Amino acid sequence: MTDLDSFIARLPKAELHLHIEGSLEPELMFALAKRNGVSIPYTSVEDVRAAYAFSNLQDFLDIYYAGASVLVTEADFHDLAMAYFDRAAADGVIHAEIMFDPQTHTDRGVAFDTVIRGLLSAMAGAETKHGMTCALIMCFLRHLSEQAAFETLAMAEPWLGTIAAVGLDSSEVGHPPSKFARVYAAARAKGLKLVAHAGEEGPPEYVHEALDLLHVDRIDHGNRALEDPVLVERLAREGMTLTVCPLSNLKLCVVGDLADHPIDRMLAQGLKATVNSDDPAYFGGYVADNYRAIAAARGLSQDVLATLARNSFTGSFLPPETIARHLASIDAYLAGS
Ligand code: ADE
Ligand code: ZN
C-alpha cells in the first residue's frame, strides 16, 4: 500500500451514492441462487465478471436487474447489505446513505416488508459492529410509470420513519424528472428528503428539472451539468452536492478515460462534488478504490481528497452537530497524518 492509499483508506468519509443491489458480488449471487433455487445465466464467477462490459447505462441495467433476481428472503437482503457495510467500514466509511429499488423486488413478488426488514436489520448490525451510521434512500425506477411510483410510496407508508429520502434511478434518457414532479411533491409533504439521478446520460435540462420541479436536496451524478455554465453557477451558488461516481462513469462510458474525468474541474468551479461507488460489484471498486483511481488519474493532492471527504459529510442528511463532529475528525486526521 502506498502512503496515498493508506491516507485514503483511513480518511473519514461518508458514502452518499450506493445502490445496495449494485453491491451484489458474483460470489454472493451464486450462493443466493443456490440457497433459493433461482437459475442464473452464468456457469461461474469468472463468467459473471466477463459479462460486466458495458457500453452505456442500459447495458448495465439489464444485467443488474437480472442479477437482483437471486434476492428473495429477508436474510438475503440482510446478507447483501451486511457484506456492503463490512466492505465500506474497511474503506473508512463512517456514514452511509444507501439506495434501494423496491420495485425491482415487488414486481417479481417479493414483499416490500421483506426487503426493508432485511436492510434495516443490516443497518442496525453496521451500527453495532462498525459504529457506522446509516440512512435509507428509497428509489423510484424512472422507466416505470408515475402511478407505479405512487404505489411504491404508498407501500412505504408504514416504514416512513425509517426512510430518510426518496431517489430516482434507472434509464435516464426519455424519463425526465418532470414525469415524477407530483410524486416528489407527495414525498416532500411526508417530510422525506429528495435526491435524483440527473445529468448522468441525460442533458443539463434534466438537472434544471430536478432542481425546479423536484426540488431535490442533492443531485446524483450531475456530470452533464458542466455543459451549461449558467447551471454550474447556480449549483455552486446553491451549494448543491453532486454525488459523483468515477469508476461508474468510466465503466458506463460517461467518460472515455479517467484521465479526462471532471472531478477537480467541478471543485474548481465551486461545485460540492463527492466521490462514491454507485454499484461497486459491477464497476470494479468500492469507495476507497474510487478515491484511489481518481487521485491517480487526476493527480489529486491529499488536500483535494480531504475536500471531497468534507463534502461527503456536508452533503449528507446527518444533523448539523454530527456533521461538525465529522469535519473536526477530518481536521484531526490531517493534523496527525
Ligand atoms: N441504478 C443503479 N445504478 C444506476 C446508475 N448509475 N444510474 C441509474 N440507475 C442506476
Ligand atoms: Zn446511481
Side-chain angles (χ1 to χ4, degrees):
M1 223 194 233
T2 67
D3 285 353
L4 194 64
D5 289 351
S6 98
F7 172 83
I8 287 169
R10 292 180 299 112
L11 177 65
K13 58 182 83 63
E15 175 143 61
L16 304 180
H17 185 158
L18 176 281
H19 302 265
I20 200 64
E21 293 89 348
S23 71
L24 178 60
E25 291 287 347
E27 290 79 3
L28 185 58
M29 191 189 293
F30 268 91
L32 296 183
K34 191 160 169 223
R35 187 153 101 183
N36 295 319
V38 174
S39 73
I40 49 174
Y42 307 107
T43 53
S44 66
V45 163
E46 294 69 41
D47 196 20
V48 183
R49 289 221 161 84
Y52 293 175
F54 316 111
S55 26
N56 54 39
L57 175 58
Q58 194 60 51
D59 264 8
F60 154 70
L61 289 171
D62 292 343
I63 287 187
Y64 160 84
Y65 294 131
S69 67
V70 302
L71 298 162
V72 179
T73 67
E74 185 179 323
D76 299 341
F77 288 94
H78 171 94
D79 293 352
L80 170 72
M82 208 58 227
Y84 164 71
F85 291 129
D86 287 347
R87 194 61 189 68
D91 274 3
V93 173
I94 58 174
H95 176 68
E97 301 189 353
I98 65 167
M99 304 187 205
F100 73 115
D101 289 340
Q103 289 158 295
T104 300
H105 314 300
T106 54
D107 283 3
R108 56 190 173 85
V110 176
F112 186 99
D113 290 17
T114 300
V115 178
I116 198 161
R117 280 184 207 281
L119 297 180
L120 290 172
S121 75
M123 287 163 67
E127 305 221 20
T128 45
K129 188 171 173 189
H130 299 299
M132 191 189 288
T133 53
C134 313
L136 207 46
I137 302 174
M138 179 179 82
C139 287
F140 304 116
L141 297 182
R142 68 201 305 157
H143 68 276
L144 300 179
S145 67
E146 179 199 42
Q147 174 64 25
F150 269 117
E151 285 163 15
T152 304
L153 189 58
M155 277 185 227
E157 191 71 44
W159 299 97
L160 287 185
T162 67
I163 297 173
V166 297
L168 188 62
D169 63 0
S170 193
S171 321
E172 187 181 6
V173 174
H175 301 285
S178 53
K179 179 175 167 185
F180 297 94
R182 291 187 294 195
V183 185
Y184 269 63
R188 189 150 47 101
K190 292 178 191 301
L192 293 164
K193 299 277 192 189
L194 311 170
V195 303
H197 285 53
E200 181 184 21
E201 284 190 347
E205 289 69 37
Y206 284 20
V207 180
H208 279 289
E209 283 192 11
L211 299 173
D212 293 332
L213 304 180
L214 303 188
H215 305 286
V216 293
D217 298 290
R218 209 154 72 196
I219 296 279
D220 293 316
H221 296 294
N223 300 50
R224 291 198 57 195
L226 295 181
E227 295 169 24
D228 179 342
V230 174
L231 177 58
V232 169
E233 203 273 319
R234 175 181 180 187
L235 290 166
R237 193 178 58 246
E238 294 181 2
M240 182 62 57
T241 297
L242 304 185
T243 64
V244 181
C245 306
L247 288 173
S248 164
N249 292 161
L250 181 65
K251 290 290 156 65
L252 300 186
C253 305
V254 169
V255 296
D257 193 319
L258 267 194
D260 302 323
H261 195 279
I263 193 104
D264 42 318
R265 214 160 19 104
M266 289 171 161
L267 295 176
Q269 295 186 77
L271 297 175
K272 295 239 175 289
T274 61
V275 169
N276 307 270
S277 67
D278 205 5
D279 301 283
Y282 291 87
F283 300 149
Y286 287 77
V287 72
D289 299 310
N290 274 270
Y291 273 83
R292 279 193 287 273
I294 202 67
R298 297 293 307 162
L300 305 184
S301 66
Q302 291 192 356
D303 275 353
V304 171
L305 297 170
T307 297
L308 292 163
R310 279 195 193 92
N311 290 348
S312 74
F313 292 114
T314 54
S316 75
F317 296 135
L318 285 166
E321 56 282 6
T322 311
I323 292 175
R325 187 158 45 78
H326 290 325
L327 295 179
S329 79
I330 293 182
D331 291 342
Y333 177 64
L334 292 178
S337 71

mmCIF file of all heavy atoms in Angstrom, residues 232-262:
data_model
loop_
_atom_site.group_PDB
_atom_site.id
_atom_site.type_symbol
_atom_site.label_atom_id
_atom_site.label_comp_id
_atom_site.label_asym_id
_atom_site.label_seq_id
_atom_site.Cartn_x
_atom_site.Cartn_y
_atom_site.Cartn_z
ATOM 1 N N VAL A 232 -24.064 25.544 -13.857
ATOM 2 C CA VAL A 232 -22.917 25.343 -12.957
ATOM 3 C C VAL A 232 -22.887 26.460 -11.914
ATOM 4 O O VAL A 232 -22.738 26.214 -10.709
ATOM 5 C CB VAL A 232 -21.586 25.308 -13.752
ATOM 6 C CG1 VAL A 232 -20.381 25.374 -12.810
ATOM 7 C CG2 VAL A 232 -21.524 24.046 -14.609
ATOM 8 N N GLU A 233 -23.086 27.691 -12.392
ATOM 9 C CA GLU A 233 -23.065 28.846 -11.484
ATOM 10 C C GLU A 233 -24.178 28.711 -10.439
ATOM 11 O O GLU A 233 -23.971 28.967 -9.253
ATOM 12 C CB GLU A 233 -23.218 30.109 -12.343
ATOM 13 C CG GLU A 233 -22.679 31.378 -11.695
ATOM 14 C CD GLU A 233 -23.725 32.042 -10.817
ATOM 15 O OE1 GLU A 233 -24.904 32.086 -11.217
ATOM 16 O OE2 GLU A 233 -23.354 32.488 -9.713
ATOM 17 N N ARG A 234 -25.333 28.259 -10.871
ATOM 18 C CA ARG A 234 -26.469 28.087 -9.952
ATOM 19 C C ARG A 234 -26.195 26.979 -8.922
ATOM 20 O O ARG A 234 -26.451 27.147 -7.725
ATOM 21 C CB ARG A 234 -27.733 27.750 -10.759
ATOM 22 C CG ARG A 234 -28.901 27.444 -9.861
ATOM 23 C CD ARG A 234 -30.132 27.101 -10.646
ATOM 24 N NE ARG A 234 -31.221 26.828 -9.721
ATOM 25 C CZ ARG A 234 -32.395 26.370 -10.096
ATOM 26 N NH1 ARG A 234 -32.653 26.153 -11.370
ATOM 27 N NH2 ARG A 234 -33.336 26.141 -9.208
ATOM 28 N N LEU A 235 -25.696 25.837 -9.398
ATOM 29 C CA LEU A 235 -25.404 24.723 -8.481
ATOM 30 C C LEU A 235 -24.379 25.148 -7.436
ATOM 31 O O LEU A 235 -24.496 24.798 -6.251
ATOM 32 C CB LEU A 235 -24.884 23.513 -9.273
ATOM 33 C CG LEU A 235 -25.901 22.799 -10.166
ATOM 34 C CD1 LEU A 235 -25.206 21.851 -11.133
ATOM 35 C CD2 LEU A 235 -26.929 22.027 -9.331
ATOM 36 N N ALA A 236 -23.399 25.929 -7.887
ATOM 37 C CA ALA A 236 -22.360 26.413 -6.959
ATOM 38 C C ALA A 236 -22.973 27.391 -5.958
ATOM 39 O O ALA A 236 -22.746 27.278 -4.746
ATOM 40 C CB ALA A 236 -21.226 27.073 -7.740
ATOM 41 N N ARG A 237 -23.774 28.319 -6.451
ATOM 42 C CA ARG A 237 -24.386 29.336 -5.579
ATOM 43 C C ARG A 237 -25.291 28.695 -4.533
ATOM 44 O O ARG A 237 -25.327 29.099 -3.379
ATOM 45 C CB ARG A 237 -25.194 30.313 -6.449
ATOM 46 C CG ARG A 237 -25.622 31.589 -5.737
ATOM 47 C CD ARG A 237 -26.370 32.551 -6.659
ATOM 48 N NE ARG A 237 -27.552 31.977 -7.267
ATOM 49 C CZ ARG A 237 -27.715 31.752 -8.560
ATOM 50 N NH1 ARG A 237 -26.765 32.079 -9.413
ATOM 51 N NH2 ARG A 237 -28.834 31.211 -9.029
ATOM 52 N N GLU A 238 -26.020 27.654 -4.955
ATOM 53 C CA GLU A 238 -26.959 26.998 -4.038
ATOM 54 C C GLU A 238 -26.277 25.948 -3.143
ATOM 55 O O GLU A 238 -26.927 25.335 -2.299
ATOM 56 C CB GLU A 238 -28.114 26.353 -4.832
ATOM 57 C CG GLU A 238 -28.966 27.417 -5.518
ATOM 58 C CD GLU A 238 -30.151 26.845 -6.306
ATOM 59 O OE1 GLU A 238 -30.354 25.616 -6.299
ATOM 60 O OE2 GLU A 238 -30.859 27.660 -6.939
ATOM 61 N N GLY A 239 -24.975 25.748 -3.367
ATOM 62 C CA GLY A 239 -24.245 24.767 -2.539
ATOM 63 C C GLY A 239 -24.766 23.348 -2.704
ATOM 64 O O GLY A 239 -24.736 22.545 -1.769
ATOM 65 N N MET A 240 -25.218 23.043 -3.921
ATOM 66 C CA MET A 240 -25.823 21.725 -4.190
ATOM 67 C C MET A 240 -24.735 20.644 -4.242
ATOM 68 O O MET A 240 -23.757 20.783 -4.976
ATOM 69 C CB MET A 240 -26.562 21.802 -5.522
ATOM 70 C CG MET A 240 -27.285 20.558 -5.945
ATOM 71 S SD MET A 240 -28.604 20.016 -4.842
ATOM 72 C CE MET A 240 -29.661 21.452 -4.775
ATOM 73 N N THR A 241 -24.940 19.586 -3.486
ATOM 74 C CA THR A 241 -23.987 18.469 -3.509
ATOM 75 C C THR A 241 -24.228 17.599 -4.745
ATOM 76 O O THR A 241 -25.377 17.295 -5.081
ATOM 77 C CB THR A 241 -24.158 17.619 -2.234
ATOM 78 O OG1 THR A 241 -23.844 18.442 -1.120
ATOM 79 C CG2 THR A 241 -23.267 16.392 -2.241
ATOM 80 N N LEU A 242 -23.135 17.197 -5.393
ATOM 81 C CA LEU A 242 -23.195 16.237 -6.506
ATOM 82 C C LEU A 242 -22.532 14.947 -6.027
ATOM 83 O O LEU A 242 -21.389 14.979 -5.558
ATOM 84 C CB LEU A 242 -22.444 16.751 -7.735
ATOM 85 C CG LEU A 242 -22.821 18.106 -8.331
ATOM 86 C CD1 LEU A 242 -22.011 18.342 -9.607
ATOM 87 C CD2 LEU A 242 -24.313 18.193 -8.637
ATOM 88 N N THR A 243 -23.236 13.835 -6.148
ATOM 89 C CA THR A 243 -22.638 12.552 -5.753
ATOM 90 C C THR A 243 -22.025 11.908 -7.007
ATOM 91 O O THR A 243 -22.705 11.235 -7.770
ATOM 92 C CB THR A 243 -23.681 11.625 -5.099
ATOM 93 O OG1 THR A 243 -24.685 11.300 -6.055
ATOM 94 C CG2 THR A 243 -24.307 12.279 -3.883
ATOM 95 N N VAL A 244 -20.764 12.152 -7.188
ATOM 96 C CA VAL A 244 -20.053 11.740 -8.407
ATOM 97 C C VAL A 244 -19.461 10.337 -8.191
ATOM 98 O O VAL A 244 -19.054 9.990 -7.078
ATOM 99 C CB VAL A 244 -18.950 12.768 -8.741
ATOM 100 C CG1 VAL A 244 -18.198 12.388 -10.006
ATOM 101 C CG2 VAL A 244 -19.560 14.165 -8.865
ATOM 102 N N CYS A 245 -19.436 9.546 -9.260
ATOM 103 C CA CYS A 245 -19.030 8.135 -9.165
ATOM 104 C C CYS A 245 -18.015 7.832 -10.268
ATOM 105 O O CYS A 245 -18.391 7.396 -11.373
ATOM 106 C CB CYS A 245 -20.260 7.237 -9.311
ATOM 107 S SG CYS A 245 -21.597 7.641 -8.160
ATOM 108 N N PRO A 246 -16.723 8.063 -9.995
ATOM 109 C CA PRO A 246 -15.719 7.974 -11.076
ATOM 110 C C PRO A 246 -15.651 6.626 -11.793
ATOM 111 O O PRO A 246 -15.663 6.591 -13.027
ATOM 112 C CB PRO A 246 -14.409 8.297 -10.357
ATOM 113 C CG PRO A 246 -14.817 9.135 -9.179
ATOM 114 C CD PRO A 246 -16.143 8.591 -8.742
ATOM 115 N N LEU A 247 -15.562 5.510 -11.048
ATOM 116 C CA LEU A 247 -15.422 4.215 -11.741
ATOM 117 C C LEU A 247 -16.694 3.849 -12.500
ATOM 118 O O LEU A 247 -16.639 3.251 -13.576
ATOM 119 C CB LEU A 247 -15.035 3.108 -10.761
ATOM 120 C CG LEU A 247 -13.594 3.180 -10.232
ATOM 121 C CD1 LEU A 247 -13.363 2.134 -9.141
ATOM 122 C CD2 LEU A 247 -12.574 2.996 -11.365
ATOM 123 N N SER A 248 -17.845 4.241 -11.962
ATOM 124 C CA SER A 248 -19.107 4.061 -12.687
ATOM 125 C C SER A 248 -19.075 4.855 -13.994
ATOM 126 O O SER A 248 -19.433 4.337 -15.062
ATOM 127 C CB SER A 248 -20.274 4.539 -11.808
ATOM 128 O OG SER A 248 -21.445 4.720 -12.566
ATOM 129 N N ASN A 249 -18.634 6.098 -13.916
ATOM 130 C CA ASN A 249 -18.562 6.946 -15.113
ATOM 131 C C ASN A 249 -17.675 6.311 -16.180
ATOM 132 O O ASN A 249 -17.984 6.375 -17.370
ATOM 133 C CB ASN A 249 -18.000 8.335 -14.773
ATOM 134 C CG ASN A 249 -18.921 9.170 -13.907
ATOM 135 O OD1 ASN A 249 -18.482 10.142 -13.275
ATOM 136 N ND2 ASN A 249 -20.197 8.834 -13.850
ATOM 137 N N LEU A 250 -16.588 5.682 -15.726
ATOM 138 C CA LEU A 250 -15.694 5.024 -16.683
ATOM 139 C C LEU A 250 -16.368 3.786 -17.286
ATOM 140 O O LEU A 250 -16.416 3.625 -18.511
ATOM 141 C CB LEU A 250 -14.390 4.633 -15.975
ATOM 142 C CG LEU A 250 -13.355 3.959 -16.851
ATOM 143 C CD1 LEU A 250 -12.840 4.911 -17.936
ATOM 144 C CD2 LEU A 250 -12.183 3.428 -16.015
ATOM 145 N N LYS A 251 -16.934 2.932 -16.413
ATOM 146 C CA LYS A 251 -17.499 1.655 -16.883
ATOM 147 C C LYS A 251 -18.738 1.862 -17.756
ATOM 148 O O LYS A 251 -19.026 1.047 -18.619
ATOM 149 C CB LYS A 251 -17.827 0.745 -15.700
ATOM 150 C CG LYS A 251 -16.589 0.220 -14.986
ATOM 151 C CD LYS A 251 -15.839 -0.778 -15.843
ATOM 152 C CE LYS A 251 -14.368 -0.945 -15.533
ATOM 153 N NZ LYS A 251 -14.019 -1.493 -14.271
ATOM 154 N N LEU A 252 -19.473 2.958 -17.514
ATOM 155 C CA LEU A 252 -20.689 3.204 -18.317
ATOM 156 C C LEU A 252 -20.418 4.189 -19.450
ATOM 157 O O LEU A 252 -21.355 4.680 -20.098
ATOM 158 C CB LEU A 252 -21.833 3.696 -17.424
ATOM 159 C CG LEU A 252 -22.252 2.716 -16.316
ATOM 160 C CD1 LEU A 252 -23.478 3.215 -15.564
ATOM 161 C CD2 LEU A 252 -22.523 1.319 -16.875
ATOM 162 N N CYS A 253 -19.137 4.476 -19.673
ATOM 163 C CA CYS A 253 -18.709 5.315 -20.805
ATOM 164 C C CYS A 253 -19.268 6.748 -20.732
ATOM 165 O O CYS A 253 -19.458 7.388 -21.770
ATOM 166 C CB CYS A 253 -19.063 4.655 -22.137
ATOM 167 S SG CYS A 253 -18.410 2.980 -22.291
ATOM 168 N N VAL A 254 -19.526 7.217 -19.505
ATOM 169 C CA VAL A 254 -19.879 8.639 -19.312
ATOM 170 C C VAL A 254 -18.617 9.485 -19.541
ATOM 171 O O VAL A 254 -18.683 10.606 -20.039
ATOM 172 C CB VAL A 254 -20.477 8.854 -17.894
ATOM 173 C CG1 VAL A 254 -20.600 10.329 -17.536
ATOM 174 C CG2 VAL A 254 -21.847 8.163 -17.808
ATOM 175 N N VAL A 255 -17.460 8.903 -19.182
ATOM 176 C CA VAL A 255 -16.164 9.469 -19.581
ATOM 177 C C VAL A 255 -15.398 8.379 -20.334
ATOM 178 O O VAL A 255 -15.552 7.192 -20.041
ATOM 179 C CB VAL A 255 -15.312 9.968 -18.376
ATOM 180 C CG1 VAL A 255 -15.991 11.120 -17.661
ATOM 181 C CG2 VAL A 255 -14.996 8.833 -17.401
ATOM 182 N N GLY A 256 -14.585 8.795 -21.297
ATOM 183 C CA GLY A 256 -13.842 7.822 -22.097
ATOM 184 C C GLY A 256 -12.631 7.306 -21.350
ATOM 185 O O GLY A 256 -12.191 6.172 -21.552
ATOM 186 N N ASP A 257 -12.085 8.149 -20.471
ATOM 187 C CA ASP A 257 -10.835 7.841 -19.781
ATOM 188 C C ASP A 257 -10.873 8.581 -18.443
ATOM 189 O O ASP A 257 -11.271 9.756 -18.411
ATOM 190 C CB ASP A 257 -9.674 8.375 -20.641
ATOM 191 C CG ASP A 257 -8.337 7.836 -20.188
ATOM 192 O OD1 ASP A 257 -8.113 7.752 -18.966
ATOM 193 O OD2 ASP A 257 -7.515 7.507 -21.066
ATOM 194 N N LEU A 258 -10.452 7.907 -17.368
ATOM 195 C CA LEU A 258 -10.463 8.594 -16.062
ATOM 196 C C LEU A 258 -9.546 9.820 -16.062
ATOM 197 O O LEU A 258 -9.766 10.762 -15.298
ATOM 198 C CB LEU A 258 -10.018 7.642 -14.950
ATOM 199 C CG LEU A 258 -11.081 6.863 -14.187
ATOM 200 C CD1 LEU A 258 -10.460 6.267 -12.929
ATOM 201 C CD2 LEU A 258 -12.305 7.696 -13.840
ATOM 202 N N ALA A 259 -8.549 9.786 -16.925
ATOM 203 C CA ALA A 259 -7.630 10.939 -17.026
ATOM 204 C C ALA A 259 -8.382 12.201 -17.453
ATOM 205 O O ALA A 259 -7.916 13.317 -17.203
ATOM 206 C CB ALA A 259 -6.506 10.631 -18.007
ATOM 207 N N ASP A 260 -9.547 12.022 -18.072
ATOM 208 C CA ASP A 260 -10.357 13.176 -18.505
ATOM 209 C C ASP A 260 -11.526 13.438 -17.548
ATOM 210 O O ASP A 260 -12.409 14.240 -17.869
ATOM 211 C CB ASP A 260 -10.942 12.919 -19.909
ATOM 212 C CG ASP A 260 -9.856 12.655 -20.925
ATOM 213 O OD1 ASP A 260 -8.793 13.299 -20.818
ATOM 214 O OD2 ASP A 260 -10.058 11.782 -21.803
ATOM 215 N N HIS A 261 -11.556 12.748 -16.423
ATOM 216 C CA HIS A 261 -12.712 12.905 -15.520
ATOM 217 C C HIS A 261 -12.757 14.339 -14.954
ATOM 218 O O HIS A 261 -11.721 14.895 -14.575
ATOM 219 C CB HIS A 261 -12.656 11.882 -14.374
ATOM 220 C CG HIS A 261 -13.966 11.778 -13.662
ATOM 221 N ND1 HIS A 261 -14.340 12.689 -12.697
ATOM 222 C CD2 HIS A 261 -15.005 10.924 -13.813
ATOM 223 C CE1 HIS A 261 -15.567 12.371 -12.282
ATOM 224 N NE2 HIS A 261 -15.984 11.301 -12.950
ATOM 225 N N PRO A 262 -13.954 14.919 -14.864
ATOM 226 C CA PRO A 262 -14.046 16.334 -14.482
ATOM 227 C C PRO A 262 -14.074 16.615 -12.975
ATOM 228 O O PRO A 262 -14.371 17.751 -12.589
ATOM 229 C CB PRO A 262 -15.378 16.759 -15.125
ATOM 230 C CG PRO A 262 -16.211 15.528 -15.077
ATOM 231 C CD PRO A 262 -15.258 14.377 -15.284
#
